[in-house]
Amino acid sequence: KNEVEQSPQNLTAQEGEFITINCSYSVGISALHWLQQHPGGGIVSLFMLSSGKKKHGRLIATINIQEKHSSLHITASHPRDSAVYICAANNTGNQFYFGTGTSLTVIP
Amino acid sequence: SQTIHQWPATLVQPVGSPLSLECTVEGTSNPNLYWYRQAAGRGLQLLFYSVGIGQISSEVPQNLSASRPQDRQFILSSKKLLLSDSGFYLCAWSAGHAYEQYFGPGTRLTVT
């Protein structure tokens, strides 16, 4: 069993839809990261959070420490949001555990 | 502002040949540095991290090694490449433990 599980693995949405990607982890963490990987391979850090909720533009990330669960939401999705979204748990020992990613395709 | 560089962008090497990938960071001091690999169709895997010059921690046993000869330079090496070393290698830096990470553009390595 992986330390970090993401769902769904693949997601196709129509432009404008509200999208949710889920991440569950089994390790104790100091931080939870959401990353975005574009088709060319480049990776951008979207959020790093250890509690509560963060918002950046149309993106919202939440975390529930007690339930060991985080969600990434995209409001008013757009084709440029098409990418792979990766959840990563950073434990207190500077180890990282990565989810296998959610491949999102937003259709115009 | 901070910038992270990786080179080369792509590399094709025969099995058994050596490897050296370089990563440099500008605009910050004493960063934590990381090497990741993403094999085809698989998720990211942390290979090495460093909290200072000469300090390297390895996450998985493998055919690769890392060195940090200068504060903002991180090198990934192999003496003899294996087919299984093929993948997308990413360098990243952060200001410290549990800080946001910033990724380089990556090197796509194909071992033939």
Side-chain angles (χ1 to χ4, degrees):
Chain A
K1 186 181 185 299
N2 292 333
E3 289 85 356
V4 176
E5 300 277 358
Q6 274 185 249
S7 63
Q9 270 192 306
N10 297 285
L11 183 56
T12 301
Q14 289 291 133
E15 183 173 356
E17 283 186 6
F18 180 83
I19 288 163
T20 295
I21 300 170
N22 294 301
C23 174
S24 296
Y25 55 92
S26 58
V27 296
I29 64 165
S30 54
L32 191 289
H33 300 255
W34 281 102
L35 310 173
Q36 180 190 54
Q37 185 171 29
H38 283 282
I43 292 182
V44 173
S45 175
L46 298 175
F47 295 102
M48 189 198 71
L49 63 167
S50 54
S51 65
K53 175 179 172 178
K54 286 191 176 180
K55 185 175 189 291
H56 181 70
R58 294 179 295 106
L59 273 59
I60 303 166
T62 63
I63 189 168
N64 184 317
I65 298 295
Q66 287 72 32
E67 294 185 4
K68 294 191 173 181
H69 182 268
S70 176
S71 293
L72 177 68
H73 306 284
I74 305 175
T75 61
S77 60
H78 190 277
R80 65 174 174 266
D81 297 325
S82 298
V84 174
Y85 292 83
I86 301 167
C87 172
N90 181 192
N91 74 357
T92 54
N94 211 12
Q95 290 168 305
F96 280 84
Y97 302 92
F98 292 90
T100 52
T102 294
S103 180
L104 171 66
T105 303
V106 181
I107 300 170
Chain B
S1 64
Q2 301 85 12
T3 311
I4 179 167
H5 302 280
Q6 269 188 260
W7 63 90
T10 59
L11 191 58
V12 180
Q13 293 282 102
V15 167
S17 64
L19 173 74
S20 181
L21 301 181
E22 188 164 344
C23 170
T24 59
V25 181
E26 296 176 358
T28 186
S29 296
N30 196 32
N32 280 11
L33 296 172
Y34 306 84
W35 276 114
Y36 295 93
R37 177 171 61 201
Q38 188 175 43
R42 301 186 67 179
L44 278 168
Q45 180 183 40
L46 177 62
L47 301 176
F48 300 96
Y49 70 89
S50 171
V51 299
I53 295 174
Q55 300 178 63
I56 309 294
S57 296
S58 174
E59 289 299 297
V60 292
Q62 58 206 310
N63 184 41
L64 302 167
S65 62
S67 62
R68 184 170 177 173
Q70 299 180 49
D71 181 43
R72 287 168 287 183
Q73 184 185 31
F74 205 22
I75 297 172
L76 184 69
S77 304
S78 173
K79 291 181 180 177
K80 288 186 179 181
L81 283 168
L82 306 171
L83 284 174
S84 58
D85 292 323
S86 293
F88 188 54
Y89 289 82
L90 287 147
C91 180
W93 76 271
S94 70
H97 176 65
Y99 279 70
E100 194 164 352
Q101 294 207 357
Y102 301 92
F103 289 82
T107 294
R108 200 163 298 278
L109 171 67
T110 303
V111 182
T112 60

